[in-house]
Amino acid sequence: KQRWMKMGAGIVRLCGRRLPTVTISRAGSYTSNVSTTRSMSSSAVGGGFFELRQYDISPGGLKAYLDETAKSAPVRSAMFGSDNSRWLCFMTTEIGGNLSRVHHLYYYKDFDTRDEVRAAVAADARWASYLKEVKPHMLNQSSHIYVQADATLQAAGLGGALHFKPDVAEMSTLPPTSAVCYELRRYQLKLGYPTVPDFLKSYGEGLQDKLRADDSGASTLVTLLYNEVGPLNTVLELWRHQSMQRSQDSRVASRKAPLWKKAVARNADLGMTFDNQFLRPTAFSPWK
């Protein structure tokens, strides 16, 4: 009974926390009050948040779903195309998960902005027509809210998702068979209030060493996120690779980084599960 009371108190404390404040300015310039005890102020003030939406499509309907979604891409870009909200990517699964799952990522300044944008989208006749075509192919939908670990990225000289610009021109220097892929790496951490800050602290200590050691030029860390609505104590990395094969060059090069290997070992003690997926950006995705 005492054990349950202690666990219950911990769960209430965890679920009752508010979101951390993260302020985003120019690339490589961030301020954050995230520390080893996570902030008690709202992330909706300042830096905003990211929504990852993942839909499972019927295998036989995936092509039709993507065709209709491609046609409506200009509408999506216009509806989610301001400083306060932005559509960032639309990807399909290549390896590592449900092959009929699509992934799309959005940025919002705050929850009021999200409500306003989504209300406008729902009232748009073009969007209603699009949904009429694609809904018969959709099996499941999920939506999770994440905050970007700006302080960790800033310390490594990275600008994060809002400042990421894929180098499309580089692809002309690669073999014709090469195809850009993104790698979504997910860490499910143990329950506990300090677990995510401890993970990010250790990750950040090793990340700079990893980036210095990786002389392959094959990979870019696009963003580092942690969950605020959905499965809590989840951390996501999103990497862009010149190709799946080139991702292996980057991985081998990173093994030369001793501080990175130490960080991985420390964070292994904080994790419960770890998985990754290779994703392909669609032709109509803002991120290529």
Side-chain angles (χ1 to χ4, degrees):
K1 182 176 181 180
Q2 281 187 329
R3 183 183 178 189
W4 167 248
M5 290 174 66
K6 289 179 181 178
M7 289 177 64
I11 293 170
V12 169
R13 186 165 57 251
L14 180 64
C15 294
R17 58 179 169 80
R18 288 174 288 177
L19 312 183
T21 298
V22 182
T23 302
I24 301 176
S25 55
R26 297 178 64 85
S29 176
Y30 293 83
T31 58
S32 172
N33 65 352
V34 177
S35 65
T36 54
T37 56
R38 294 172 73 172
S39 166
M40 297 301 289
S41 60
S42 173
S43 68
V45 179
F49 58 82
F50 298 84
E51 180 178 9
L52 176 62
R53 300 177 71 89
Q54 296 171 303
Y55 299 168
D56 292 339
I57 312 302
S58 63
L62 183 59
K63 183 182 183 303
Y65 174 89
L66 292 175
D67 287 345
E68 291 297 329
T69 304
K71 293 176 188 176
S72 70
V75 177
R76 194 186 301 261
S77 295
M79 301 295 283
F80 298 89
S82 71
D83 290 339
N84 295 331
S85 67
R86 195 182 306 175
W87 170 41
L88 298 172
C89 69
F90 204 104
M91 304 187 189
T92 57
T93 308
E94 181 71 16
I95 299 176
N98 184 335
L99 299 181
S100 297
R101 177 170 295 170
V102 297
H103 315 254
H104 35 133
L105 185 67
Y106 302 83
Y107 163 78
Y108 294 101
K109 176 185 175 182
D110 52 38
F111 284 100
D112 287 341
T113 298
R114 182 184 183 278
D115 288 345
E116 292 167 5
V117 170
R118 293 196 63 79
V121 169
D124 190 282
R126 298 166 299 174
W127 195 258
S129 177
Y130 161 69
L131 290 181
K132 181 179 179 180
E133 297 297 325
V134 298
K135 275 190 172 182
H137 307 300
M138 298 169 63
L139 302 177
N140 297 296
Q141 297 173 276
S142 69
S143 168
H144 298 153
I145 299 299
Y146 292 88
V147 172
Q148 187 167 257
D150 287 331
T152 304
L153 294 173
Q154 176 194 16
L158 300 173
L162 295 184
H163 301 286
F164 173 65
K165 294 181 179 179
D167 186 358
V168 178
E170 72 183 356
M171 299 310 298
S172 63
T173 66
L174 299 175
T177 54
S178 294
V180 165
C181 75
Y182 286 74
E183 183 180 5
L184 184 63
R185 300 166 68 88
R186 184 176 65 91
Y187 304 84
Q188 181 60 58
L189 307 181
K190 297 175 182 176
L191 180 66
Y193 197 78
T195 309
V196 170
D198 288 349
F199 179 95
L200 294 177
K201 180 176 183 295
S202 179
Y203 183 97
E205 291 171 353
L207 178 60
Q208 296 178 54
D209 191 36
K210 169 186 170 70
L211 296 178
R212 283 192 297 267
D214 184 2
D215 53 5
S216 70
S219 304
T220 302
L221 179 58
V222 177
T223 187
L224 178 66
L225 307 168
Y226 56 91
N227 191 282
E228 288 292 353
V229 181
L232 298 180
N233 285 17
T234 301
V235 175
L236 298 182
E237 295 175 88
L238 184 63
W239 291 82
R240 181 184 186 270
H241 304 297
Q242 291 178 341
S243 69
M244 288 192 291
Q245 185 57 45
R246 291 284 282 147
S247 75
Q248 303 308 299
D249 297 335
S250 176
R251 187 165 297 175
V252 170
S254 299
R255 292 172 186 158
K256 298 179 294 185
L259 296 181
W260 175 247
K261 290 194 288 187
K262 289 181 180 178
V264 170
R266 288 195 299 268
N267 281 342
D269 292 332
L270 298 174
M272 295 193 299
T273 61
F274 166 60
D275 62 78
N276 68 328
Q277 301 178 58
F278 282 122
L279 311 179
R280 296 284 195 199
T282 60
F284 55 87
S285 173
W287 288 348
K288 304 298 184 187

